[in-house]
Amino acid sequence: MFNTLFSRMLATYLSVMLAILLLLGIIVAGMFQNQYISEQESELRREAEEVTLTIVNKYLDDDKRPVATEELVTTARKYDALLQLVFVDPAYGNVCMYDKASTKWIPVADTYLSDEASEIIEGANTRIENNVFRGWIDIPTMSIACPISTGEGTVVGAMFFHTDMSRTNDSIRKVYLDVLLSACVSVILAFLAVSYITGRMTKPITDMNNIVRRFSKGEFSARVKIASKDEVGQLGQSFNVMADELDTLEHSRRSFVANVSHELRSPLTSMRGFLEAMQDGTIPPEEYGKYLGVVIDETKRMTAMVNDLLDLARIESGQTVLKLEAFDINELIIRTLLTFEARINAANIDVNMDFDAEHTTVEADSDQIAQVVRNLIDNAIKFSPAGGTLSLKTETGKRNVRVSVKDEGVGIAAEDLPYVFDRFYKAEKAHTPSGSSTGIGLSIVKRIVEQHGETITVESPPGNGTCFTFTLKLCEQQAKPRPYAAQRR
């Protein structure tokens, strides 16, 4: 029944509100009842004093008794009450007065409370009791019992003044009904208000749940509508940011799959064509060596591509453990550069090396940093025009070393710069010539550098080549740098 957040919140809010309304209703009704009863008791006490004075001043006087009797009957009629007088002197006897037009007091008119009268006379105290005639009549009553004392303090009897509380109880009951009705109306209004508010609070969460389901079906364009700036609204904003990233990632993934499929299909198709041509005799035996060389080159390129994919997957999954050691970054750059000597000479590229010191010792994983330098140099050679210049530079700071690799190629468009290091970014947009790579080399570079806790940046002024710069932690025993520059062809 309460399997949704909306129903649980609604039930909780309504329960709390209903409890508060019920408590307030009971308190208000109780206060009204106590106030009403207190006023009734006060009025009853005042009237009892008046009746006692009438009895002492007039009723006990034989000459004034008829007048006193008429006044007492009038008082009883006024309050629709029953007045009973119990005297100590048998000459006065027991007297009962009430409105003869009313029949409700007849069953108890001659029922004198002898024991109570004796207690009142002996104790000379006043008390108020409720429903003293329970069992004789079905009328709720409030009775005041007080001694009849003369001016000298002599108690001559007891007076009982019984009033009908039916009207009072009806008024109190009406108050309870009004409170109950108000509570019911309040609950209905509260239900509508809480339903509306709870619905607005939970709607973004419900929308997010529905959007997640759409995401599971491959619909990445859905977004949550933000209608507030509270925690739920902030959650919706964060969800939309995540959705944007997922959408971008999914787009990149599809683009990457398409590119990789193309990169794999093209050489496989070419290799298959050459092999089938050799098989059916289209290619003569004397040319086998030429075409087998092409097949071998294609397999090497595909192997390099698969290795890059495995490296990226291993780095992103956190399986790569850094083996930090102190080594000379300048020496590593020179050793790596030598592996590209044949390509550099073939492209007639000049190499310019500008090192702050002959030896610059850094603390890092030398194998991974060698992969970073190798990828950046390989990328720069691809984009350097024939007769261009490849620049390698190291700058020593207080705590780190800045390593720069710069080419004189056409550069990267400004709109593509923010995405250069994105994984699965299209090869032609990742500073990689179309058809020569999968465009994940720079992603590997960025993740290796970040794994070391360092940064890498790219600058590409229009028509002025591209420069990649990354930082490495300077080893503590690094000596004071001495300028060192070299240029080779």
Side-chain angles (χ1 to χ4, degrees), residues 138-212:
D138 294 331
I139 301 173
T141 61
M142 176 183 288
S143 305
I144 182 170
C146 60
I148 302 173
S149 303
T150 63
E152 293 79 13
T154 303
V155 177
V156 298
M159 186 268 298
F160 294 91
F161 196 77
H162 310 284
T163 59
D164 185 358
M165 292 294 291
S166 298
R167 295 179 181 175
T168 301
N169 288 349
D170 288 342
S171 298
I172 294 174
R173 192 176 299 109
K174 186 176 182 301
V175 170
Y176 276 104
L177 291 176
D178 290 342
V179 171
L180 180 61
L181 179 61
S182 300
C184 292
V185 173
S186 299
V187 168
I188 294 174
L189 295 177
F191 175 81
L192 297 176
V194 171
S195 297
Y196 175 75
I197 295 173
T198 305
R200 285 181 60 87
M201 292 175 61
T202 57
K203 187 177 184 302
I205 299 177
T206 303
D207 290 344
M208 280 184 269
N209 183 46
N210 294 333
I211 291 174
V212 168

Side-chain angles (χ1 to χ4, degrees), residues 203-396:
K203 187 177 184 302
I205 299 177
T206 303
D207 290 344
M208 280 184 269
N209 183 46
N210 294 333
I211 291 174
V212 168
R213 293 179 179 176
R214 293 174 62 182
F215 279 1
S216 66
K217 298 178 182 179
E219 300 180 26
F220 294 95
S221 60
R223 296 294 182 272
V224 178
K225 294 182 179 179
I226 308 300
S228 63
K229 296 183 179 180
D230 55 10
E231 289 80 358
V232 177
Q234 294 173 5
L235 177 61
Q237 291 177 350
S238 300
F239 187 89
N240 285 341
V241 171
M242 180 192 70
D244 292 338
E245 294 179 353
L246 287 175
D247 193 15
T248 302
L249 180 60
E250 176 63 14
H251 179 76
S252 299
R253 184 190 66 81
R254 292 178 180 177
S255 177
F256 168 76
V257 171
N259 286 333
V260 171
S261 300
H262 174 73
E263 292 294 327
L264 291 176
R265 182 176 58 188
S266 296
L268 286 174
T269 302
S270 176
M271 292 163 59
R272 178 181 176 180
F274 291 147
L275 293 175
E276 289 178 347
M278 286 187 287
Q279 184 182 37
D280 61 20
T282 303
I283 298 177
E286 59 270 16
E287 294 186 6
Y288 281 5
K290 171 185 175 182
Y291 290 101
L292 285 175
V294 175
V295 171
I296 292 174
D297 289 340
E298 292 295 338
T299 57
K300 288 180 180 180
R301 191 165 72 87
M302 287 192 296
T303 301
M305 181 191 308
V306 173
N307 288 336
D308 283 346
L309 290 172
L310 292 175
D311 288 342
L312 181 61
R314 185 169 55 252
I315 293 171
E316 290 184 340
S317 64
Q319 296 179 1
T320 303
V321 179
L322 293 179
K323 298 178 182 178
L324 299 180
E325 58 180 335
F327 63 91
D328 187 352
I329 184 62
N330 295 345
E331 181 182 348
L332 184 145
I333 292 173
I334 294 173
R335 287 203 317 267
T336 304
L337 185 63
L338 290 175
T339 63
F340 293 93
E341 185 172 8
R343 290 177 57 188
I344 292 174
N345 290 334
N348 196 28
I349 297 175
D350 290 335
V351 177
N352 180 40
M353 292 184 292
D354 184 7
F355 300 152
D356 269 358
E358 183 176 356
H359 300 285
T360 304
T361 305
V362 298
E363 184 179 356
D365 187 319
S366 60
D367 290 338
Q368 292 199 26
I369 298 303
Q371 186 175 4
V372 170
V373 175
R374 184 165 53 252
N375 284 356
L376 292 179
I377 292 177
D378 177 70
N379 213 53
I381 292 174
K382 291 174 184 177
F383 275 88
S384 293
T389 300
L390 169 63
S391 299
L392 302 169
K393 183 178 182 180
T394 59
E395 297 178 273
T396 305

